[in-house]
C-alpha cells in the first residue's frame, strides 16, 4: 500500500484525467471493439488471435479473482482514496487486474503479430501506461498489476506461438470447441458454488458471469463463422469499411446499453448480454453484410 500512498501524493487534475483516459482504453469493451474492427475490416485470423488471447488470459484472471477474493485497495486501507470516476469501472475483486489483462492480451497480440519495432514499442508503452494508471487511480495494487501482466503476456505469447507452429491444427474444430466450452461452464459452476456455499455477494462474481457469456458467444461465433462463412475482411473500399465499422459499433453499443437495465434485475442477463455482443460481432454481423450484397446482385440479374 506504500506505493499507492506515494502515488496519491503525485496526483494532479491533469494527471487524473490522463490516467482515467489510459485506464479506459484497457476496458473489455474497448478490447472487444478493436477485435471486431480488425475482424470486420482487416484480417479475421488476426482478430481470432486477439480473441483467443483475450479470453484465455481473462479466464485465468477472473478465476484467480474468485479464488483469492482480495478486496480493493481502499477497502484494505483507509489511507487509500481512489480518484473520482475510477471506482465505477473497478468492479469485483482486486487481484489480479482485469484492465491490465485486457490491455496486455490486445496490445500484446498486436505487438506479436506486427513485427515492426516501432509498433511493438508503442504497444508496450500503452500496456505499461494502462497498468500504471490502475495504481495511480488507487484501484489496484502493484501485485494486482504485475501478476496480470506476467500471466497475460505468457498466455498471449503461448496462444500466438501455438497458432504459428500449427499446434491447434492437429485437432478438429469440434474438438477445440468442446474442450474450450468446458471453461465457461466451469466458470458458471464456480459462480453457483461461491454464492451457494460461500455466500459470496453476487456483485463480486458478476464479472465472471459476464466473461463466461462473452467466451461462449465468441466460441460459437468462431465455430460457425469458420464452418459456414469464412468471411473475407479485405473486401470493400475504405468508405465501405468505415461504414461497416460505424454501423457495427452502433449496434453493439445499443445491445450493450439496452440490455444493461435487465442485468440489474436478473444477473443472468450479464451472461446473455455479453453472449449476444460477441456472437453478433463474430458471426451474425459478418453474415449479414456478406449475404445481403449477394442478394442485391441476384436481384439485379
Amino acid at each position: 500500500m506504500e506505493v499507492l500512498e506515494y502515488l496519491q501524493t503525485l496526483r494532479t487534475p491533469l494527471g487524473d484525467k490522463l490516467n482515467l483516459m489510459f485506464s479506459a482504453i484497457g476496458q473489455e469493451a474497448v478490447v472487444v471493439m478493436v477485435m471486431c474492427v480488425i475482424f470486420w475490416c482487416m484480417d479475421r485470423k488476426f482478430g481470432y488471435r486477439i480473441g483467443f488471447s483475450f479470453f484465455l488470459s481473462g479466464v485465468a484472471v477472473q478465476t484467480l479473482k474468485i479464488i483469492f477474493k482480495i478486496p480493493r485497495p481502499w477497502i484494505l486501507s483507509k489511507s487509500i482514496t481512489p480518484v473520482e470516476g475510477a471506482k465505477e469501472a473497478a468492479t469485483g475483486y482486486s487481484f489480479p487486474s482485469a484492465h491490465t489483462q485486457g490491455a496486455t492480451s490486445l496490445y500484446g497480440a498486436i505487438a506479436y503479430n506486427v513485427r515492426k519495432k516501432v509498433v511493438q514499442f508503442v504497444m508496450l508503452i500503452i500496456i505499461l501506461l494502462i497498468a500504471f494508471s490502475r495504481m495511480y487511480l488507487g484501484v489496484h495494487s502493484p501485485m494486482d498489476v504485475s501478476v496480470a501482466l506476467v500471466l497475460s503476456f505468457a498466455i498471449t505469447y503461448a496462444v500466438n506461438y501455438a497458432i504459428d507452429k500449427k499446434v491447434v491444427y492437429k485437432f478438429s474444430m469440434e474438438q477445440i470447441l468442446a474442450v474450450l466450452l468446458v471453461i465457461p461452464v466451469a466458470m458458471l459452476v464456480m459462480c453457483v458454488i461461491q454464492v451457494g456455499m460461500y455466500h459470496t455477494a453476487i456483485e463480486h462474481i458478476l464479472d465472471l458471469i459476464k466473461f463466461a457469456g462473452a467466451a461462449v458467444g465468441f466460441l460459437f461465433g468462431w465455430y460457425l463463422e469458420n464452418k459456414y462463412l469464412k468471411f473475407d475482411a479485405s473486401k470493400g473500399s475504405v468508405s465501405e469499411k468505415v461504414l461497416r465499422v460505424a454501423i457495427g459499433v452502433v449496434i453493439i453499443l445499443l445491445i450493450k446499453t439496452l440490455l444493461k437495465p435487465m442485468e440489474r434485475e436478473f444477473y443472468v442477463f450479464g451472461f446473455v448480454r455479453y453472449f449476444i455482443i460477441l456472437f453478433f460481432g463474430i458471426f451474425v454481423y459478418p453474415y449479414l453484410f456478406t449475404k445481403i450484397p449477394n442478394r442485391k446482385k441476384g436481384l439485379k440479374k
Side-chain angles (χ1 to χ4, degrees), residues 8-297:
Q8 283 186 165
T9 66
L10 303 179
R11 289 177 185 169
T12 63
L14 177 59
D16 293 355
K17 290 179 182 178
L18 286 174
N19 281 281
L20 283 169
M21 180 187 70
F22 293 141
S23 181
I25 61 175
Q27 290 183 355
E28 86 283 342
V30 174
V31 178
V32 170
M33 289 295 186
V34 173
M35 180 183 71
C36 285
V37 169
I38 290 173
F39 187 85
W40 295 337
C41 299
M42 295 174 61
D43 184 344
R44 56 188 277 277
K45 292 183 178 180
F46 188 7
Y48 282 139
R49 284 173 178 258
I50 294 172
F52 280 110
S53 299
F54 175 64
F55 288 113
L56 290 176
S57 60
V59 164
V61 164
Q62 293 296 333
T63 302
L64 289 176
K65 281 179 179 285
I66 297 300
I67 291 173
F68 288 97
K69 295 186 176 68
I70 297 177
R72 295 283 173 171
W74 67 86
I75 298 175
L76 290 173
S77 174
K78 292 182 179 179
S79 64
I80 304 299
T81 303
V83 171
E84 187 177 353
K87 285 179 70 173
E88 185 179 353
T91 55
Y93 293 111
S94 187
F95 172 85
S97 166
H99 275 70
T100 305
Q101 170 263 317
T104 304
S105 59
L106 170 60
Y107 303 111
I110 293 174
Y112 181 97
N113 288 282
V114 182
R115 302 298 177 89
K116 293 183 178 180
K117 291 185 178 180
V118 173
V119 174
Q120 292 176 335
F121 177 75
V122 171
M123 293 300 107
L124 177 60
I125 293 299
I126 291 174
I127 292 169
L128 293 178
L129 285 173
I130 293 170
F132 174 80
S133 73
R134 303 306 288 165
M135 296 185 289
Y136 175 96
L137 296 172
V139 294
H140 278 296
S141 70
M143 180 64 74
D144 299 341
V145 168
S146 58
V147 169
L149 269 173
V150 172
L151 186 62
S152 300
F153 263 126
I155 292 175
T156 298
Y157 180 83
V159 166
N160 284 274
Y161 183 82
I163 293 173
D164 283 345
K165 295 300 180 181
K166 304 187 185 304
V167 175
V168 294
Y169 300 120
K170 296 179 180 179
F171 307 94
S172 69
M173 288 177 55
E174 287 76 12
Q175 289 174 322
I176 295 172
L177 179 65
V179 170
L180 292 182
L181 278 177
V182 172
I183 297 173
V185 170
M187 293 170 75
L188 292 176
V189 171
M190 186 183 298
C191 289
V192 173
I193 292 173
Q194 289 295 322
V195 174
M197 294 181 62
Y198 298 101
H199 307 290
T200 303
I202 195 73
E203 57 267 22
H204 287 148
I205 62 170
L206 187 55
D207 286 343
L208 193 66
I209 294 172
K210 292 177 182 177
F211 209 92
V216 174
F218 173 78
L219 289 171
F220 275 112
W222 162 78
Y223 176 76
L224 292 174
E225 191 279 328
N226 272 277
K227 197 162 185 70
Y228 301 110
L229 194 58
K230 294 192 182 296
F231 170 67
D232 186 355
S234 65
K235 289 184 177 179
S237 64
V238 174
S239 59
E240 287 174 337
K241 289 182 178 181
V242 170
L243 183 61
R244 185 187 300 172
V245 169
I247 294 173
V249 168
V250 168
I251 294 174
I252 286 180
L253 289 176
L254 282 173
I255 295 171
K256 194 172 187 293
T257 304
L258 293 176
L259 290 182
K260 190 168 186 177
M262 299 179 187
E263 190 178 297
R264 299 190 186 101
E265 298 294 328
F266 305 100
Y267 290 109
V268 69
F269 271 96
F271 180 96
V272 173
R273 184 161 68 114
Y274 279 85
F275 170 87
I276 293 173
I277 289 171
L278 268 297
F279 187 70
F280 172 82
I282 297 300
F283 178 69
V284 176
Y285 191 51
Y287 178 87
L288 289 176
F289 59 67
T290 298
K291 299 302 179 182
I292 289 175
N294 290 339
R295 289 182 181 177
K296 288 181 178 178
K297 289 178 182 178

